[in-house]
């Protein structure tokens, strides 16, 4: 069967891109230990508030200067609803949901994950621009979805 030269070029090009992308994922997974934001840590969604990992929510600053944020995403709010973290240090977010699937997006940044009941979502991000950021739920979760938001304040470091 005859395949036009240009068609052939595009087919090999598209195939090459697929191989490049899969290779990138493979390298990141194997050599850098990158995992999806859920990082496959489970939790009983019915006892989120009693679970010691989420019993205390808010921001913890570690001795090395990095920060950890513990948050619960639930219908139709984030707990806590306002958080303050320092700029220019790694900030690790840990989130879970006691009810349905929510989204967690820090608008204008790379911070974005699904929050799935039964799992702990975790990702680390460094904010280099101090200021106030809007956090929104970007997964439809019910009648109050459009009101589900929080505020992140990134403060100038010491
Ligand atoms: Cu929570 Cu939409």
């Amino acid at each position: 069967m005859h395949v036009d030269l240009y068609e052939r070029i595009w087919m090999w090009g598209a195939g090459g891109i697929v191989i490049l992308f899969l290779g990138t994922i493979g390298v990141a997974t194997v050599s850098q230990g990158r995992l999806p934001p859920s990082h496959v840590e489970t939790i009983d969604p019915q006892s989120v508030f009693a679970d010691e990992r989420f019993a205390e929510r808010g921001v913890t600053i570690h001795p090395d200067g990095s920060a950890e944020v513990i948050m619960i995403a639930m219908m139709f709010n984030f707990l806590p609803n306002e958080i303050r973290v320092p700029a220019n240090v790694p900030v690790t977010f840990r989130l879970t949901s006691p009810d349905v699937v929510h989204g967690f997006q820090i608008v204008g940044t790379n911070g974005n994950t699904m929050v799935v009941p039964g799992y702990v979502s975790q990702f680390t991000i460094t904010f280099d621009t101090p200021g106030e950021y809007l956090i929104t739920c970007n997964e439809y979760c019910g009648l109050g979805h459009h009101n589900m938001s929080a505020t992140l304040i990134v403060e100038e470091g010491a």
Side-chain angles (χ1 to χ4, degrees):
M1 189 182 74
H2 172 75
V3 179
D4 192 77
L5 175 64
Y6 286 122
E7 191 132 14
R8 220 182 273 267
I9 291 171
W10 281 109
M11 278 161 51
W12 281 107
I17 289 171
V18 169
I19 289 165
L20 176 72
F21 285 178
L22 289 176
T24 306
I25 294 170
V27 168
T29 306
V30 175
S31 74
Q32 301 181 341
R34 296 272 173 90
L35 293 167
S38 81
H39 86 134
V40 207
E41 178 181 342
T42 56
I43 186 170
D44 178 1
Q46 306 217 300
S47 59
V48 162
F49 288 90
D51 192 292
E52 61 177 16
R53 289 168 289 174
F54 285 88
E56 265 184 63
R57 295 159 303 270
V59 182
T60 306
I61 307 289
H62 295 301
D64 66 357
S66 66
E68 184 173 283
V69 180
I70 305 291
M71 263 178 136
I72 292 176
M74 57 189 290
M75 291 190 277
F76 296 102
N77 203 355
F78 293 99
L79 294 178
N81 197 247
E82 184 182 298
I83 48 171
R84 290 170 181 271
V85 298
N88 300 311
V89 300
V91 180
T92 298
F93 287 85
R94 285 172 55 77
L95 299 129
T96 195
S97 163
D99 42 51
V100 299
V101 174
H102 296 281
F104 181 87
Q105 179 174 14
I106 308 168
V107 177
T109 74
N110 268 344
N112 188 1
T113 183
M114 284 175 87
V115 186
V116 182
Y119 292 89
V120 177
S121 299
Q122 177 175 313
F123 67 92
T124 302
I125 183 171
T126 300
F127 301 100
D128 52 16
T129 311
E132 196 174 306
Y133 293 82
L134 173 69
I135 296 170
T136 63
C137 175
N138 60 9
E139 298 276 342
Y140 182 74
C141 52
L143 287 178
H145 163 71
H146 60 286
N147 286 327
M148 188 168 166
S149 68
T151 304
L152 169 72
I153 296 157
V154 177
E155 297 176 319
E156 201 84 55

